[in-house]
Amino acid sequence: MNKIQLMSHLVAGYPTDELAFTAASAMVAGGADILEVQLPFSDPSADGPAIQGACTEVLARRYRTADGLTFIARLHKAFPGTKIYLMSYGSLIYTPGVEAFCRKAAEAGVNGMIIPDLPFDHDEGLTAACRANGMENIPVAAPSMAADRLDTLAHAGFAHIYAALRTGITGSSTTIDERTVAFLNKVSAGGSRVYGGFGIQDGSQAKALASSVEAIVAGSVFVRLIEANRADGKKLYETVKAKAEELTGL
């Protein structure tokens, strides 16, 4: 079986910048093709307990957006061949100005933006600002979207769409079944390539999903591994790398 493409998620600065960098290094060594780096946010709408807890801890250190971008710049320098997508929420992007934020993100090495609470057709200029700065905006599709709205998104001309495989928050395991595949087919109907995530935790899920997406997305599973092994950097590296290898089929 060919290697499965993987977008792996981590929270900038969690539990420290050094351990977050160790985790990112392990993800890349384990075959991750894209690092999805989340800027810590106090009131997320899509994150489950593991990621919410990580964000809360980092923010308690007075971690700022600038710190997150500095961390991303370090990743970009260390892994220039690995795509980096920045994941955050609309208020962090809107407050400093969408264009100004996108310019700083691009300078740090970001290739794309994933902002779940900015609708694709009311994105405060995010798509245009990404394009102007050599990045792409990656909108989020969910099974709860009305059929006509999902069809409009699918045919809106985005290079990639992030498909949340179920409604609700991240963290719980997701069953990959015929309904999942049917949803993904609708998301890709207009030619956009699809990233599929929400509740991907093991290799069997990754294999079941791989033929329907360009890359699988795994987040909470990595955050929980980082939390469980934060006291031992070597063990953290080994366990995160092993999980990436499991998900990519290496």
Side-chain angles (χ1 to χ4, degrees):
M1 180 176 178
N2 293 332
K3 175 188 172 298
I4 298 169
Q5 301 296 298
L6 170 65
M7 182 195 305
S8 55
H9 180 106
L10 69 158
V11 176
Y14 180 73
T16 66
D17 276 337
E18 285 305 316
L19 288 173
F21 185 82
T22 297
S25 302
M27 292 169 179
V28 174
D33 306 277
I34 304 165
L35 294 174
E36 181 188 19
V37 183
Q38 178 167 348
L39 296 183
F41 188 64
S42 59
D43 190 25
S45 60
D47 299 324
I51 295 176
Q52 283 189 42
C55 288
T56 298
E57 181 176 329
V58 176
L59 290 171
R61 304 202 317 262
R62 298 184 181 276
Y63 203 83
R64 310 288 296 211
T65 295
D67 299 318
L69 291 176
T70 297
F71 175 72
I72 287 172
R74 180 182 177 188
L75 292 180
H76 175 62
K77 183 177 180 180
F79 310 111
T82 303
K83 282 187 176 181
I84 299 176
Y85 290 159
L86 185 154
M87 183 264 165
S88 188
Y89 290 93
S91 63
L92 284 185
I93 312 303
Y94 184 80
T95 300
V98 174
E99 171 62 35
F101 187 96
C102 286
R103 183 172 63 253
K104 290 180 180 179
E107 289 171 353
V110 173
N111 301 103
M113 304 276 284
I114 301 172
I115 314 297
D117 59 344
L118 282 183
F120 72 95
D121 50 353
H122 294 87
D123 69 0
E124 304 293 344
L126 179 61
T127 297
C130 283
R131 188 177 299 119
N133 288 280
M135 301 185 297
E136 64 172 305
N137 177 29
I138 303 163
V140 177
S144 58
M145 294 177 76
D148 58 344
R149 183 168 177 76
L150 179 58
D151 186 66
T152 300
L153 170 57
H155 291 86
F158 290 98
H160 294 92
I161 298 173
Y162 185 125
L165 300 179
R166 56 175 171 75
T167 56
I169 58 176
T170 61
S172 301
S173 182
T174 297
T175 300
I176 310 301
D177 56 21
E178 292 180 359
R179 290 177 297 178
T180 308
V181 174
F183 168 62
L184 292 169
N185 288 339
K186 293 176 183 177
V187 177
S188 63
S192 299
R193 290 165 288 174
V194 178
Y195 300 128
F198 256 53
I200 302 303
Q201 300 181 16
D202 59 46
S204 63
Q205 290 172 301
K207 290 175 182 176
L209 188 60
S211 63
S212 299
V213 298
E214 175 158 307
I216 65 161
V217 186
S220 293
V221 64
F222 284 116
V223 175
R224 285 193 290 264
L225 285 175
I226 293 167
E227 165 63 22
N229 297 282
R230 61 190 295 168
D232 185 338
K234 181 179 179 181
K235 188 176 179 183
L236 186 155
Y237 180 92
E238 291 172 347
T239 56
V240 170
K241 180 174 180 286
K243 177 57 67 173
E245 289 174 339
E246 175 190 344
L247 293 170
T248 58
L250 290 178

